[in-house]
Amino acid sequence: MNIHEYQAKEMFREFGVNVLEGVHCKSVEEAIEAYDSLGSKIVAVKSQIHAGGRGKGILYDPYSGEEVMKGGVKIAFSRGDVQEFSKNICGNKLVTKQTGPSGKIVTNMYVESGCDIDHEFYLAILVDRDRKSVLVMASTEGGVDIEEVAEKTPEAIHKIWADPSNGLAMDDCESLSKSLGITGDSAKELVNMIESLYRMFLERDCSMIEINPLVRTKDGTMIALDAKVSLDENANFRHPWREEVRDLSEEEDVEIRANDLGLSYVKLDGNIGCLVNGAGLAMASMDVIKLYGGEPANFLDIGGGATLESITAAFQIILEDENVEGILVNIFGGIIRCDMVARSVIEASKEIGLDVPLVVRFSGTNNEEGKAILDGSDISIHTVSSLSEGARKIVECIGGGV
Amino acid sequence: MAIWVDEDSKVLIQGITGKQGTFHGTRMLRYNTNVVGGVTPGKGGQKIDLEGNEVPVFNTMSEAVSQTGADVSAIYVPARFAAGAIHEAAEAFNENGGGLIVCITEGIPTLDMIKAVDKVKQYDGVRLIGPNCPGIISPGFDGGCKVGIMPAFIHKKGRIGIVSKSGTLTYEAVAQTMSVNEGQTTCVGIGGDPVSGTGFIDCLEAFENDPETVAVVMIGEIGGSAEEDAAEWVKENMSKPVVGFVAGSTAPPGKRMGHAGAIISGGKGTASEKFVAFEKAGIYVARDPSEIGRVLVGALTDAGLRET
């Protein structure tokens, strides 16, 4: 789960991490008020969406599709600038490298004081899967994509790891700061900042904190100029406050609904819907459809606790996607029994009128019974015995493939 | 022989009086797994009836292990208590000559797992499989040892080792070996979480050292670099043939595909990179899981272990 920059910075303030003064706004009027209250000659007007690459993004009118402004983060030198920029941002669609062509409608803005930048760094805290510990990663090259830095100048990236029981070592933090060429009071500030961020990472169950750029100002102060925070959803149970910072408009409506039903759904661009049990098998089903010349329309794992209701809802969700021309059901029964799934398929087809070709592959628990139920029903279903046969069949049914 | 569990393993169930614990405990017993007891705090001293088998319940893992001599534990407790259950099991096994912890539970916070894995690492004789996995099964002649939630009936004792990050895809791999008339020594589901215990390399090493295993099927998925590391290990150390598949070739970047760890981030962790690593390491690659059986036959034939 991601949160907005303005929310992340509020959290930073709580943990004593240096940020500039700023105000969260939802309209042009609020943005102008914010400018007046900040008393800073220069301010940044920042679009608040969860995707990165906002600065280099482009804003479009969501209705006409016309380009409105280049840059989702603008530096304003006057009240007039703030008015113009916030008008161009608010309610318009921001397309960045990470949003995909459909972009995101911006409804939240952040108006923030300016500062005199001496140098831009990069700082992140994340989970290192290989070392099974928390990693602090920093670079002298801030303000650019870290992936790019990793590729072109890997020597600019420095890393330290926290010990799972003893946490971060002071010495490591100091040497990290030294490797970045940060000295004197700025170094002390950075070490404090890393410690505060690490404490926040643990206490708030983050999965990533990324500050790009982290800046040293002309007077040597270290400031988090940007803030990207992701939270580990597995820890939601011990953080009830998350309900309040969650921005549902940032999540795909259908993915939220699926989630509430115990389904795991991700929409893709193809035309063959998939209904599968298990995440690995669901991915493999998509892969095999593609291998035989089709394009999967979605990832869908019905989970181990699927019921007649959730399977019916799963069909509904698949069919809401108007690109879907056929559906492949691939079940390897373990806890889930194929006969139960078969009955659900029939129920669903009666209830919502399945009018696209349907190919069903059953294996595992009660697969024979499941197949018999489908073969004995009056709805048109192709039953097959292997995944590749299923993928070939559904591709053939919709008249595609190689 | 098999790896880590066999018909002599004495198995405890943590969370035995819960719905999941009772349900799967019963199925483990049906497969002739030697379930010697269970743990539910506050219910110690009771007996639980699993289809006519009376199994003792203990308050703590320490009591349970010392009184039953168990060397394996299956964890079916809810996510918020699961990491605690791992700590408790690790301490109990460490005091009693070591053991294997199999954590089935899904949805454990990553920071809890970092601590739990670190704890287990401090004890030489203790191993953790999972979390968020189907478990481990070693088929025997009459049932076998099943520690987890997999459908037992699809397995048969044989000579192929299976290791996988995914649940149902493991079953698919099992079915594929059966389709070419091969059985399994042991099947291990290592789980799809970002931080977990036993990894691919631990399993490959154990299969390499197991005299009964002649070949291994390895199923990976997008995210992280465990598959690449495993491929490197295979290249350097493995004398037995390995067949590999990676799920998620069609997964879009930046989207979590069901498993918490299955995500392509910053362009890293893609299926195509992993397939390339497999091929470079001499692993027999199946691009379609329905082809695993056929590819396995090829691998066994090349190694002189089978005549097509």
Side-chain angles (χ1 to χ4, degrees):
Chain A
M1 166 183 171
N2 296 319
I3 59 174
H4 288 298
E5 175 195 359
Y6 77 89
Q7 295 165 324
K9 284 186 171 165
E10 196 51 54
M11 220 182 271
F12 279 9
R13 281 189 197 100
E14 241 178 273
F15 281 84
V17 175
N18 260 346
V19 289
L20 296 166
E21 260 191 272
V23 183
H24 168 220
C25 317
K26 291 182 85 75
S27 66
V28 176
E29 294 70 35
E30 283 181 14
I32 293 170
E33 248 174 66
Y35 175 77
D36 292 341
S37 74
L38 284 172
S40 168
K41 187 86 188 101
I42 301 169
V43 299
V45 183
K46 302 170 123 181
S47 306
Q48 300 288 291
I49 58 167
H50 285 174
R54 293 172 296 163
K56 290 184 185 123
I58 297 173
L59 285 144
Y60 297 92
D61 183 303
Y63 304 104
S64 69
E66 271 170 62
E67 183 176 320
V68 177
M69 182 169 75
K70 281 197 169 58
V73 174
K74 303 293 270 187
I75 306 301
F77 295 91
S78 66
R79 207 165 182 263
D81 279 355
V82 173
Q83 179 166 22
E84 186 197 330
F85 297 150
S86 56
K87 188 170 147 276
N88 288 342
I89 290 172
C90 213
N92 284 328
K93 186 173 79 177
L94 179 58
V95 177
T96 80
K97 218 167 73 177
Q98 287 181 18
T99 60
S102 54
K104 280 277 170 202
I105 303 286
V106 189
T107 54
N108 291 291
M109 293 177 291
Y110 191 56
V111 178
E112 192 177 52
S113 305
C115 68
D116 278 329
I117 298 171
D118 173 47
H119 189 87
E120 296 190 337
F121 300 90
Y122 171 96
L123 180 67
I125 304 187
L126 61 158
V127 172
D128 185 329
R129 298 168 62 148
D130 296 327
R131 293 227 193 175
K132 299 171 185 180
S133 57
V134 176
L135 160 71
V136 179
M137 185 163 81
S139 152
T140 49
E141 310 298 305
V144 288
D145 271 0
I146 190 69
E147 286 86 19
E148 213 171 284
V149 180
E151 191 132 307
K152 289 181 184 153
T153 48
E155 67 281 1
I157 298 178
H158 305 276
K159 296 174 177 177
I160 57 170
W161 287 266
D163 181 87
S165 26
N166 301 321
L168 281 171
M170 190 69 153
D171 286 359
D172 287 344
C173 296
E174 279 165 4
S175 70
L176 181 73
S177 145
K178 209 172 175 184
S179 343
L180 296 171
I182 299 173
T183 52
D185 286 346
S186 307
K188 272 184 209 148
E189 278 192 27
L190 178 64
V191 170
N192 284 337
M193 184 185 276
I194 293 173
E195 285 182 327
S196 304
L197 288 168
Y198 179 68
R199 197 159 52 83
M200 173 178 143
F201 194 91
L202 298 189
E203 283 179 25
R204 295 297 160 93
D205 272 299
C206 299
S207 49
M208 190 184 67
I209 300 176
E210 190 180 46
I211 302 173
N212 191 19
L214 161 74
V215 302
R216 182 175 59 208
T217 61
K218 294 252 162 71
D219 60 10
T221 309
M222 302 298 296
I223 294 171
L225 208 56
D226 193 14
K228 194 175 169 194
V229 171
S230 306
L231 306 167
D232 175 10
E233 284 168 39
N234 283 354
N236 282 356
F237 67 84
R238 57 187 175 212
H239 300 289
W241 53 270
R242 288 187 181 177
E243 275 308 308
E244 278 162 46
V245 296
R246 186 171 175 193
D247 183 351
L248 291 173
S249 71
E250 282 284 341
E251 299 170 35
E252 291 284 343
D253 181 40
V254 50
E255 290 175 17
I256 303 170
R257 266 192 296 135
N259 205 21
D260 290 343
L261 291 158
L263 309 167
S264 179
Y265 173 89
V266 177
K267 190 186 166 332
L268 303 169
D269 299 327
N271 54 3
I272 298 176
C274 314
L275 189 153
V276 189
N277 67 325
L281 193 60
M283 276 189 270
S285 303
M286 291 157 36
D287 298 348
V288 174
I289 286 171
K290 175 97 178 174
L291 193 66
Y292 295 115
E295 289 290 340
N298 65 276
F299 166 92
L300 199 160
D301 170 12
I302 59 170
T307 58
L308 196 137
E309 290 74 34
S310 74
I311 293 172
T312 306
F315 275 111
Q316 238 151 4
I317 284 170
I318 292 174
L319 287 170
E320 273 172 35
D321 177 351
E322 46 196 40
N323 295 329
V324 170
E325 292 174 30
I327 299 175
L328 173 65
V329 174
N330 182 21
I331 302 295
F332 204 117
I335 307 166
I336 288 209
R337 300 181 341 256
C338 295
D339 58 321
M340 187 277 281
V341 178
R343 284 191 196 93
S344 307
V345 169
I346 291 169
E347 277 299 310
S349 87
K350 280 188 194 145
E351 205 170 301
I352 58 181
L354 278 172
D355 51 0
V356 296
L358 189 61
V359 175
V360 178
R361 181 270 180 139
F362 284 149
S363 197
T365 310
N366 294 2
N367 69 82
E368 297 287 337
E369 292 90 328
K371 199 166 178 287
I373 290 169
L374 292 184
D375 289 340
S377 79
D378 51 4
I379 52 174
S380 150
I381 295 173
H382 305 276
T383 53
V384 296
S385 56
S386 81
L387 170 54
S388 64
E389 204 186 319
R392 283 175 215 256
K393 187 75 197 169
I394 190 68
V395 171
E396 181 198 308
C397 284
I398 64 162
V402 284
Chain B
M1 274 198 25
I3 67 167
W4 300 326
V5 296
D6 56 31
E7 285 142 310
D8 297 327
S9 301
K10 291 182 176 176
V11 184
L12 288 170
I13 295 171
Q14 287 175 265
I16 195 165
T17 58
K19 194 175 154 219
Q20 295 291 324
T22 306
F23 180 87
H24 292 292
T26 305
R27 274 152 189 81
M28 284 159 64
L29 264 168
R30 268 187 214 162
Y31 194 59
N32 287 342
T33 306
N34 191 10
V35 177
V36 296
V39 173
T40 299
K43 298 205 172 164
Q46 300 180 8
K47 297 257 185 202
I48 183 162
D49 180 74
L50 303 178
E51 280 187 341
N53 294 285
E54 292 253 304
V55 173
V57 182
F58 299 90
N59 280 322
T60 66
M61 270 302 281
S62 176
E63 280 175 70
V65 175
S66 59
Q67 291 187 33
T68 61
D71 53 2
V72 177
S73 172
I75 296 179
Y76 292 102
V77 308
R80 64 177 74 194
F81 307 116
I86 295 173
H87 283 269
E88 202 194 329
E91 279 166 16
F93 283 139
N94 183 52
E95 287 161 11
N96 292 277
L100 172 73
I101 306 164
V102 182
C103 185
I104 307 301
T105 308
E106 177 182 357
I108 304 174
T110 305
L111 290 171
D112 291 3
M113 277 318 300
I114 288 179
K115 287 204 163 151
V117 166
D118 183 59
K119 176 91 174 183
V120 170
K121 207 176 67 187
Q122 288 163 19
Y123 302 137
D124 273 346
V126 183
R127 168 176 297 285
L128 169 68
I129 292 176
N132 192 12
C133 73
I136 177 170
I137 184 168
S138 296
F141 288 111
D142 177 22
C145 183
K146 161 179 140 109
V147 186
I149 59 174
M150 63 290 277
F153 75 93
I154 63 169
H155 301 80
K156 187 185 81 183
K157 187 174 172 63
R159 54 178 186 166
I160 309 298
I162 297 179
V163 53
S164 166
K165 269 187 183 176
S166 140
T168 43
L169 205 44
T170 316
Y171 314 159
E172 189 78 48
V174 170
Q176 280 294 305
T177 61
M178 298 294 275
S179 75
V180 295
N181 210 18
E182 294 285 347
Q184 309 84 40
T185 46
T186 301
C187 308
V188 193
I190 58 174
D193 271 6
V195 175
S196 51
T198 297
F200 282 122
I201 296 175
D202 303 297
C203 297
L204 290 165
E205 192 171 11
F207 282 131
E208 173 71 11
N209 294 329
D210 172 37
E212 267 185 20
T213 303
V214 301
V216 178
V217 176
M218 172 165 69
I219 313 278
E221 65 186 29
I222 53 163
S225 59
E227 289 79 2
E228 286 87 336
D229 298 341
E232 193 60 35
W233 193 90
V234 165
K235 197 169 146 193
E236 300 295 325
N237 305 287
M238 196 93 185
S239 67
K240 299 173 182 176
V242 178
V243 173
F245 172 77
V246 179
S249 295
T250 46
K255 277 278 185 185
R256 220 165 276 285
M257 307 303 279
H259 286 157
I263 181 165
I264 299 168
S265 41
K268 292 283 167 198
T270 65
S272 63
E273 284 175 316
K274 293 174 192 295
F275 272 122
V276 167
F278 277 11
E279 275 166 354
K280 274 191 187 155
I283 293 172
Y284 292 82
V285 166
R287 295 274 168 178
D288 168 353
S290 326
E291 295 281 299
I292 289 170
R294 194 183 56 77
V295 175
L296 177 64
V297 169
L300 291 170
T301 311
D302 285 356
L305 293 160
R306 191 175 154 142
E307 292 173 7
T308 62

